[in-house]
Amino acid sequence: LGITVDTIEKDLAVGQLFIDHTLMVADVMIAIELACRKREGVRLLYEDELSLPVTRLPFQWQVTVKSGEKLGVTPDRVFALEFAGRDGQPDRAYFFLEADRGTMPVKRQTLLQTSFFRKLLAYEATWVQDIHQRKLGIDRFRVLTVTKSPKRVQSIIAACRELQRGHGLFLFADTGILSADPLASIWQTTVPGRMGELIS
């Protein structure tokens, strides 16, 4: 049957990576949900509550970057925060979550190989090409990246600064935010010293 001990061990390792990643996504979403429950006037909306013009879950799409490569985009989670806008009417902020456990390089020599920089490029192209509006019906979005360590955050931010456009789309944090208030101004941006928040 072609099944060996090495094959079984590799399958188990891949399975454990998937489980660890799924748990990390869940931890981030639980932290955000608990923060929303504590803050009056803010409601968390999950994928199935967004009423977007998509035919299936999970949300996924393709972009073509300037170098000509086609890249697929599948956020780890898509959600929105609903709150009263400046005019008193309900407003929504949409987010694409990337939970990064540091299992892939931040950058590689070619886009044919997986890297976190490739994800950043794909989100940049999504914004530049208005795919979020044309395919998802979302007026604007932010990309939240939660990773394992402050050092990894800085490596990803350095890669993000290499993008030509769209730096303001991205917010970054390590898993320390899970014990803080993720709705507060604790998210790092590509601008040194400038912090971002989810409701702004």
Side-chain angles (χ1 to χ4, degrees), residues 73 121 187:
V73 187
L121 276 175
W187 296 84

Side-chain angles (χ1 to χ4, degrees), residues 65-79:
V65 295
K66 284 188 175 181
S67 56
E69 283 90 353
K70 287 187 177 181
L71 305 180
V73 187
T74 307
D76 291 326
R77 189 60 60 91
V78 178
F79 67 94

Side-chain angles (χ1 to χ4, degrees), residues 54-197:
V54 292
T55 57
R56 63 178 182 175
L57 298 176
F59 294 104
Q60 52 189 349
W61 60 92
Q62 277 196 337
V63 297
T64 302
V65 295
K66 284 188 175 181
S67 56
E69 283 90 353
K70 287 187 177 181
L71 305 180
V73 187
T74 307
D76 291 326
R77 189 60 60 91
V78 178
F79 67 94
L81 297 179
E82 190 172 77
F83 53 93
R86 294 179 181 178
D87 59 358
Q89 297 300 313
D91 196 5
R92 284 186 184 181
Y94 290 90
F95 300 93
F96 301 146
L97 173 65
E98 290 291 337
D100 171 64
R101 298 191 65 257
T103 55
M104 69 171 64
V106 173
K107 195 172 182 182
R108 287 182 168 177
Q109 292 183 346
T110 172
L111 292 179
L112 297 177
Q113 298 172 298
T114 58
S115 69
F116 204 87
F117 183 67
R118 194 169 79 162
K119 289 177 180 281
L120 299 175
L121 276 175
Y123 281 119
E124 178 195 37
T126 298
W127 176 69
V128 170
Q129 299 167 23
D130 292 327
I131 292 174
H132 57 295
Q133 295 179 339
R134 292 188 288 106
K135 291 193 174 182
L136 302 180
I138 294 175
D139 182 52
R140 62 190 187 278
F141 69 91
R142 305 288 291 278
V143 180
L144 304 183
T145 296
V146 180
T147 190
K148 296 291 287 184
S149 70
K151 183 177 180 181
R152 177 79 172 181
V153 169
Q154 294 308 313
S155 295
I156 295 175
I157 288 176
C160 188
R161 290 193 183 114
E162 296 182 28
L163 298 177
Q164 293 183 353
R165 303 176 64 184
H167 298 112
L169 297 174
F170 301 97
L171 296 174
F172 307 92
D174 63 69
T175 50
I177 68 159
L178 301 182
S179 58
D181 178 3
L183 300 186
S185 299
I186 59 176
W187 296 84
Q188 296 188 55
T189 70
T190 56
V191 180
R194 180 180 295 177
M195 307 301 283
E197 60 181 308

Side-chain angles (χ1 to χ4, degrees), residues 13-51:
V14 170
Q16 187 60 52
L17 287 174
F18 175 79
I19 292 171
D20 292 343
H21 180 262
T22 301
L23 290 174
M24 185 176 180
V25 172
D27 286 342
V28 174
M29 294 308 301
I30 288 171
I32 293 173
E33 181 165 347
L34 292 176
C36 289
R37 291 180 182 180
K38 294 177 182 178
R39 186 171 300 197
E40 186 177 351
V42 181
R43 188 164 70 104
L44 172 63
L45 301 173
Y46 288 96
E47 287 100 327
D48 58 351
E49 301 174 282
L50 297 180
S51 301

